[in-house]
Amino acid sequence: MAAHFDRRLRKAAVTTTVAAVAVAALSASQAPNVTADGNGRQTTADNAPTSDASSQESATGNSPYYTDLPPLDSPSPAPTIGTPSSRGPSEAGIPATVLDAYKKAEAELLQSKPGCKLPWQLLAAIGKVESGQARGGRVDADGTTIGKIIGPQLDGNGFALIQDTDNGVYDGNSSYDNAVGPMQFIPSTWAWAARDGNGDGKADPNNVYDAALAAGHYLCRNNWDLSDQGDLASAILSYNNSQDYLSTVLSWLEHYRKGTHEIPDGTGSLPGSRSDGTGYGSGAVAGSPTGGSGGSTGPRTSGAASPDPKPSPDKPSQPGRPTTPGTGSPSPKPPTDPEPPTETPGPTPTDTVDHLENAGATGLTAMAGDTFTQKISTRAETEDGKAVGRVRIRFTVVGDTDAAFTGGEKVAAITTDASGVAVAPVLKAGEKTGGFTVRATVIGRSVKALDHRATVTERVADALESITDTTLTCTPGGEFADRVEVKATRKGEAADKVAVTATLVKSVLDPTENDKGPYFKDADDKPVRTLTGLKTDAKGLLKLPELYADDTEGTYVLRLTTAGGAVRDITLNVAEAEPAPDPSEDPATEPEA
């Protein structure tokens, strides 16, 4: 690792004095498990957190990334006017549209997931490492890259083995998956992480707004708080599971946090080397002759130096092999032990999965707003029913529902344990009632999905308490002075958002709607005697609209009911007011004889 950093530092030709200053600056803001090496670059300790995400589940499939590190002289904030050279070091500049995409993603996450505390500089650091800020900001006015950025095919030849999951829709490869776009999502991850960041009605991994927002949501899953250094490291490692990757991203994050500025699109500096040993120009960019973020979709080169041109007559035909003096013939090669035969790797656990079985409860039900008390669990099995551990299971909430896992996520990926069981995160019901499905699938293998059915029922109350008097009085043709108010409770606690129906019935024994007596008014001021869609507030309280009386005197009943069986009857009296007594007729006021 140190040698790797030294090679980069020699390219940068920095001085010892600058390095010492950088060490002090980095040390002042050091995170747990992150240290500075002898050259002032961030490295991670051996016990730094690691991600258990498989290649299929990481955002990039653990694809190659750019290893260029920021300069040791930290940038200072610079004005956003003038030429790029007048605004500080070029490495501190971020193309305008790309920078806007990062900041818009930060603003959206601040609203939707404030507990995540996502800084836009983290997106910038990952964007730098994954694609050189969309190849120096080569994007159109809508933020879509000019030519697709496609990583190397993940065929297991020096990379992860991820067979095609999108039929080549995103990466143009129907045999294997490739990471795609400025944030280098593999198709299987984009399938559930995709977001529409620019509001054009579609989610495109080649659009920097869409990709940046998707990356933000990806980094904010699992209830991670990115202001916590442990959660930050876990999130970055889940993006690409490499300690060197973590160190590189943290270095750029530190660099951008100390100051950056906007530069014109297309003028950003291009990265020089990648983690697979190849340079910038080795990548494949559809529609572009200049290369891009990753390796090509065709045969991959090793990244070693190019072979010499065809040897001239005065050169030995096999360079590198010494010749016997005076003969020009190669010297005898000492005998060596034969290389052991290459072993064909056996099947992975994922390869052995034949089907999925339900390993938990059935008939999952929860009231709107409540947490499902039982967790969904799935067991991966071979054809003969044996459990398969270390397999990634994706749980996806599908259907017309606002139910979601903890943190508001609709998707979760869990690794099966030794008994082959993966337990989904806690599921919380939304406000939409009805049935929906949590679908379990095997990541990286085409196995029939297993659907877990769940149902959300409406909120209920087991009691209704009258806040106003239980008997209200009104004169014929008048308006009741007091409005009816009740409180709904469930198990003695206030029951919020409970639906209440109010009906003016004929009597306590006859729940039929009355056709005379008191009434409510609709939006057109017409009499109505049944109200639906009423709901209690956060304290379980509900105040009904004003009540009116027709000219028919009598005693009437207003019945309030809720789901769950709570009932409350309110008595309404319609009668002429009793005349006030005449003081002259009061014996107490008659004069004495």
Side-chain angles (χ1 to χ4, degrees):
M1 185 70 181
H4 199 40
F5 283 151
D6 288 342
R7 286 197 300 272
R8 300 175 197 161
L9 292 175
R10 284 196 294 272
K11 293 179 183 179
V14 295
T15 65
T16 304
T17 302
V18 173
V21 172
V23 171
L26 288 170
S27 298
S29 60
Q30 213 72 113
N33 298 323
V34 180
T35 59
D37 66 10
N39 297 312
R41 302 304 176 97
Q42 288 188 0
T43 62
T44 52
D46 291 338
N47 62 348
T50 59
S51 169
D52 67 349
S54 67
S55 297
Q56 291 93 334
E57 189 55 30
S58 71
T60 68
N62 297 333
S63 292
Y65 56 91
Y66 289 112
T67 57
D68 301 55
L69 290 171
L72 289 176
D73 52 333
S74 298
S76 300
T80 57
I81 58 175
T83 62
S85 61
S86 71
R87 288 179 269 149
S90 61
E91 288 299 336
I94 299 177
T97 300
V98 180
L99 179 61
D100 184 57
Y102 296 149
K103 291 186 175 181
K104 283 185 181 298
E106 178 195 53
E108 197 277 342
L109 268 298
L110 182 63
Q111 295 296 321
S112 61
K113 295 184 179 180
C116 178
K117 302 181 180 67
L118 171 80
W120 67 261
Q121 291 91 341
L122 176 59
L123 296 176
I126 290 176
K128 179 69 174 181
V129 170
E130 292 296 344
S131 68
Q133 309 297 20
R135 305 193 316 275
R138 295 188 67 243
V139 297
D140 63 19
D142 295 324
T144 301
T145 58
I146 301 173
K148 295 181 179 180
I149 304 175
I150 302 176
Q153 68 177 13
L154 301 173
D155 57 6
N157 184 19
F159 304 119
L161 174 59
I162 304 180
Q163 295 179 342
D164 176 61
T165 61
D166 68 330
N167 198 28
V169 170
Y170 293 113
D171 54 17
N173 188 345
S174 59
S175 297
Y176 301 96
D177 271 352
N178 305 62
V180 178
M183 303 304 278
Q184 288 288 277
F185 279 97
I186 54 174
S188 58
T189 302
W190 183 258
W192 60 266
R195 294 293 192 282
D196 176 15
N198 62 353
D200 63 355
K202 61 181 180 180
D204 180 4
N206 299 291
N207 182 278
V208 69
Y209 287 98
D210 297 355
L213 184 58
H217 277 276
Y218 183 92
L219 294 164
C220 285
R221 71 197 195 289
N222 296 334
N223 280 336
W224 279 326
D225 175 1
L226 300 184
S227 66
D228 176 85
Q229 296 301 327
D231 283 359
L232 174 64
S234 295
I236 295 172
L237 285 168
S238 78
Y239 209 91
N240 192 315
N241 192 15
S242 161
Q243 288 293 324
D244 284 352
Y245 181 86
L246 173 62
S247 300
T248 306
V249 170
L250 288 176
S251 294
W252 282 107
L253 173 60
E254 180 74 15
H255 184 72
Y256 289 139
R257 274 177 165 166
K258 290 184 176 180
T260 188
H261 55 272
E262 177 185 299
I263 60 175
D265 289 344
T267 65
S269 61
L270 302 181
S273 58
R274 297 191 316 156
S275 59
D276 62 349
T278 59
Y280 178 82
S282 66
V285 181
S288 168
T290 61
S293 170
S296 70
T297 57
R300 182 176 57 87
T301 60
S302 65
S306 299
D308 289 334
K310 185 176 181 179
S312 59
D314 59 344
K315 288 186 179 181
S317 60
Q318 292 177 302
R321 293 183 62 183
T323 59
T324 303
T327 66
S329 300
S331 57
K333 185 177 181 180
T336 58
D337 294 331
E339 294 184 2
T342 302
E343 294 183 3
T344 302
T348 66
T350 301
D351 293 334
T352 67
V353 178
D354 177 75
H355 59 274
L356 297 176
E357 292 286 346
N358 183 13
T362 58
L364 299 168
T365 303
M367 191 175 65
D370 280 2
T371 298
F372 284 83
T373 57
Q374 296 173 310
K375 289 185 178 181
I376 293 171
S377 56
T378 296
R379 184 173 57 254
E381 294 184 355
T382 62
E383 185 176 5
D384 56 1
K386 293 182 180 179
V388 185
R390 300 301 298 172
V391 172
R392 300 286 284 179
I393 304 296
R394 179 181 294 127
F395 295 96
T396 306
V397 178
V398 295
D400 184 19
T401 180
D402 52 354
F405 296 120
T406 303
E409 296 291 344
K410 293 282 190 176
V411 179
I414 307 296
T415 302
T416 59
D417 59 19
S419 62
V421 174
V423 181
V426 172
L427 185 64
K428 185 173 182 179
E431 293 303 321
K432 290 184 179 180
T433 59
F436 65 95
T437 298
V438 177
R439 181 161 296 156
T441 55
V442 179
I443 297 173
R445 183 167 172 79
S446 297
V447 173
K448 183 180 179 181
L450 176 64
D451 286 346
H452 301 265
R453 294 293 299 168
T455 303
V456 177
T457 61
E458 62 181 323
R459 294 173 181 258
V460 300
D462 54 27
L464 277 174
E465 174 187 354
S466 178
I467 303 300
T468 53
D469 292 337
T470 55
T471 301
L472 302 179
T473 302
C474 178
T475 59
E479 177 181 346
F480 286 86
D482 296 320
R483 291 169 59 182
V484 174
E485 186 173 8
V486 293
K487 180 178 182 179
T489 58
R490 181 174 59 253
K491 297 180 180 180
E493 300 291 334
D496 63 328
K497 299 180 182 179
V498 173
V500 178
T501 298
T503 305
L504 290 151
V505 298
K506 289 186 175 181
S507 70
V508 173
L509 300 178
D510 185 355
T512 306
E513 179 184 286
N514 212 333
D515 57 358
K516 60 183 178 181
Y519 61 90
F520 300 105
K521 289 183 179 180
D522 63 12
D524 297 324
D525 285 340
K526 294 181 179 180
V528 292
R529 291 187 168 86
T530 297
L531 294 179
T532 59
L534 305 171
K535 286 192 175 183
T536 59
D537 62 16
K539 297 181 179 179
L541 298 174
L542 171 66
K543 182 176 285 189
L544 272 61
E546 291 83 356
L547 269 167
Y548 303 89
D550 61 14
D551 295 332
T552 307
E553 293 187 88
T555 299
Y556 301 90
V557 176
L558 171 63
R559 176 160 293 172
L560 305 176
T561 58
T562 72
V567 178
R568 172 62 64 177
D569 287 341
I570 306 293
T571 301
L572 305 175
N573 287 329
V574 179
E576 291 289 351
E578 294 183 3
D582 185 349
S584 62
E585 297 179 359
D586 187 349
T589 61
E590 293 181 2
E592 294 182 0

